[in-house]
Amino acid sequence: MLKESQNRMFQEVGPGTPMGNLMRHYWHPVAAVAELDGNPTKPIRLMGENLVLYKDLSGGYGLVDRHCPHRRADMSYGFVEKCGLRCNYHGWLFDEKGACIEQPFEEMIDPDGNFKGKVNIKAYPVEAKAGMLWAYMGSEPAPLIPNWEPFTWKNGFSQVVFSDIPCNWFQCQENSIDPVHFEWMHANWSTRLGNAEGPYAPTHQKIKFEEFEHGFIYKRVREDTDEENPLWTVGRVCLWPNALFTGGHFEWRVPVDDENTLSVSWFFSRVPHDREPFVQERIPYWTSPIKDPETGRWISSHIINQDIIAWVGQGVQADRTQEHLGRSDEGIIMIRKRYVDDMKRIDNGEEPKGIYRDKKANGCIDLPIIGKEQFINGHTREEIDNFPRDYNPSTPNRFLFHAGQPEEVRKQYEAATGVKMMDKGIVE
Ligand code: FES
Ligand SMILES: [Fe+2]
């Protein structure tokens, strides 16, 4: 149970707040690279700041204030030029660093006045990686975007999925260090949603949490596994500071403001040997719905949709003054302590956990991955056809994670892998 002030400290991400400062030390995925192909500007809200993401005519990316510093017009209606974004009201043009590089009328009427040299728009750096656009809102010099090992894997079909979640980011992230919920929220609840009364899933017998360089690892022994099982020897990863990593996919919980979160998931599926070499020209993206428009209830058919039901169910901002933590929550307590320690480190002029600045080391950052060889080496067509379960983690034949995968993405996946999807979600 936390004091109200502690709870607020974890939740508030606006400029100048302790958590806002901490989260501004990291790059965050905020959009898909392919998203700006059709429309080069996109209004976004990040950590309580209203911004516009753009791709200019030279292919450069920028992220600037939503409002023009002249008379506050909406820059998301601006138009991109060879360099930068031009306000559509009076034509002032800004580059990706926020410098005003053209002021058409002012320059004509007073060529020596250099008014433009006195005006800036707020601007943050943007970089592309793994089919996503990442933003950094902290002070310079910016660290590197971690080059996680799966981003370097070959012969894979990737996709990026977004969901808009109407609750605070921190309760979403606490779900990243919660092994026991798999048994109940995903396994047993899915059984019940499928109208069966059982049998229930093997129970958790033992759990363990370990801090490591890139976050925390949670390990488990279930009734049907032992300490030789990779669920115990390798475990799953709560990736610092705001993600979950399970092997074939990442899930980032990006704070939009204190009451909203952008869920960003990146999936990798290995193509079978007979489809190699496979190079994906464009990583598709889509937005997964979370509410059933007919019933007004949250969608429960897919794994991450189930998680989202937990997150939004905790309230727009979970009231941690009313919680009762048990032994299953040891990981939650550990990560809360780490965030607090990181805030202290920042106060002392030090860097928080999980900042990467060494280019060589960032060439490929290894992570604990159950079944890693499947993602790297892949399978023959025959092995895939004869896979003992109906869900092969490296080349799945169902998209179990998010509801609403568009037909077009499914077709692209099938064309790439030759695996026919049977996506009816968990409940059939
Ligand atoms: S308000 Fe943007 S140029 Fe005038
Ligand atoms: Fe979950």
Side-chain angles (χ1 to χ4, degrees):
M1 216 183 271
L2 297 182
K3 289 193 202 123
E4 208 213 315
S5 58
Q6 292 171 313
N7 193 27
R8 262 190 287 122
M9 184 182 65
F10 287 123
Q11 294 172 331
E12 292 176 354
V13 289
T17 59
M19 185 58 93
N21 286 343
L22 172 56
M23 294 302 277
R24 279 168 175 75
H25 281 71
Y26 303 93
W27 289 89
H28 297 284
V30 298
V33 166
E35 226 173 317
L36 298 183
D37 287 350
N39 185 348
T41 60
K42 184 184 183 190
I44 61 173
R45 187 165 159 79
L46 266 183
M47 292 195 269
E49 299 185 42
N50 292 325
L51 304 163
V52 181
L53 181 67
Y54 70 82
K55 179 181 181 182
D56 69 21
L57 296 176
S58 313
Y61 296 108
L63 181 63
V64 296
D65 196 340
R66 180 78 186 263
H67 296 286
C68 176
H70 177 214
R71 281 177 33 222
R72 313 290 297 156
D74 183 344
M75 293 296 291
S76 72
Y77 290 90
F79 42 96
V80 290
E81 298 283 10
K82 205 152 189 204
C83 171
L85 179 63
R86 190 187 293 282
C87 178
N88 68 345
Y89 203 4
H90 312 96
W92 291 17
L93 177 66
F94 302 91
D95 73 10
E96 78 287 352
K97 294 222 181 318
C100 183
I101 52 175
E102 279 183 26
Q103 277 175 328
F105 185 80
E106 305 303 324
E107 288 176 77
M108 187 277 298
I109 207 77
D110 183 7
D112 301 322
N114 192 30
F115 182 24
K116 68 182 179 194
K118 301 178 185 112
V119 182
N120 282 294
I121 191 167
K122 179 164 75 178
Y124 298 118
V126 175
E127 279 182 30
K129 185 180 277 288
M132 295 172 281
L133 293 175
W134 301 67
Y136 174 75
M137 296 168 68
S139 50
E140 296 287 344
L144 301 167
I145 304 171
N147 200 27
W148 304 119
E149 183 182 353
F151 296 166
T152 70
W153 288 343
K154 303 273 185 284
N155 289 305
F157 178 91
S158 302
Q159 56 190 301
V160 180
V161 188
F162 300 98
S163 280
D164 297 309
I165 317 292
C167 72
N168 185 264
W169 76 282
F170 197 72
Q171 60 218 52
C172 310
Q173 179 57 5
E174 286 182 327
N175 182 217
S176 306
I177 187 104
D178 188 337
V180 174
H181 92 279
F182 283 82
E183 180 184 328
W184 291 99
M185 170 149 263
H186 301 307
N188 295 341
W189 190 31
S190 297
T191 299
R192 298 299 297 266
L193 286 169
N195 285 328
E197 287 185 9
Y200 280 178
T203 58
H204 281 73
Q205 306 283 298
K206 191 157 113 171
I207 54 175
K208 181 162 79 167
F209 303 92
E210 291 167 357
E211 182 162 7
F212 79 127
E213 199 185 347
H214 311 304
F216 290 77
I217 303 174
Y218 60 84
K219 302 181 167 181
R220 46 157 83 98
V221 173
R222 297 186 314 219
E223 249 175 335
D224 61 336
T225 65
D226 57 25
E227 292 187 11
E228 307 299 313
N229 189 286
L231 287 171
W232 184 260
T233 56
V234 181
R236 305 279 191 200
V237 176
C238 167
L239 195 64
W240 210 249
N242 59 333
L244 170 73
F245 172 66
T246 66
H249 83 273
F250 293 84
E251 297 172 28
W252 291 272
R253 299 73 162 83
V254 179
V256 169
D257 55 29
D258 297 347
E259 299 185 343
N260 293 280
T261 302
L262 177 67
S263 163
V264 182
S265 310
W266 182 93
F267 297 88
F268 177 93
S269 307
R270 182 66 165 75
V271 303
H273 291 167
D274 58 12
R275 298 289 165 137
E276 296 173 10
F278 174 75
V279 178
Q280 195 176 20
E281 297 298 337
R282 176 186 183 272
I283 296 181
Y285 72 94
W286 50 284
T287 296
S288 167
I290 64 169
K291 197 177 252 186
D292 181 337
E294 273 171 29
T295 62
R297 300 282 287 171
W298 306 115
I299 296 170
S300 58
S301 55
H302 289 63
I303 294 173
I304 297 175
N305 291 85
Q306 295 177 341
D307 290 319
I308 291 168
I309 292 176
W311 310 341
V312 294
Q314 288 171 286
V316 174
Q317 291 179 292
D319 183 358
R320 294 180 181 77
T321 68
Q322 300 296 315
E323 66 186 4
H324 300 84
L325 300 187
R327 292 283 295 279
S328 68
D329 306 305
E330 279 170 17
I332 303 268
I333 293 163
M334 284 169 84
I335 64 167
R336 288 182 188 173
K337 186 168 175 313
R338 169 51 58 208
Y339 290 108
V340 171
D341 288 349
D342 270 356
M343 290 178 212
K344 285 188 197 141
R345 284 203 220 181
I346 291 171
D347 281 348
N348 294 333
E350 297 164 47
E351 291 209 311
K353 183 182 178 71
I355 298 288
Y356 305 90
R357 295 193 183 276
D358 182 333
K359 278 204 175 111
K360 195 155 172 264
N362 200 47
C364 175
I365 303 181
D366 288 357
L367 290 169
I369 298 172
I370 294 176
K372 185 190 285 206
E373 55 297 333
Q374 297 185 52
F375 294 105
I376 294 170
N377 301 331
H379 291 282
T380 62
R381 171 77 45 197
E382 198 181 4
E383 283 169 336
I384 287 190
D385 290 344
N386 297 324
F387 205 81
R389 291 180 295 159
D390 68 348
Y391 178 69
N392 171 346
S394 65
T395 319
N397 60 7
R398 292 157 192 251
F399 193 74
L400 295 174
F401 294 99
H402 278 288
Q405 187 186 46
E407 203 50 35
E408 187 195 323
V409 177
R410 175 198 298 232
K411 281 188 186 145
Q412 286 173 27
Y413 177 88
E414 292 182 346
T417 60
V419 171
K420 190 104 189 90
M421 291 292 265
M422 305 184 294
D423 188 4
K424 298 276 189 290
I426 294 167
V427 188
E428 292 185 338

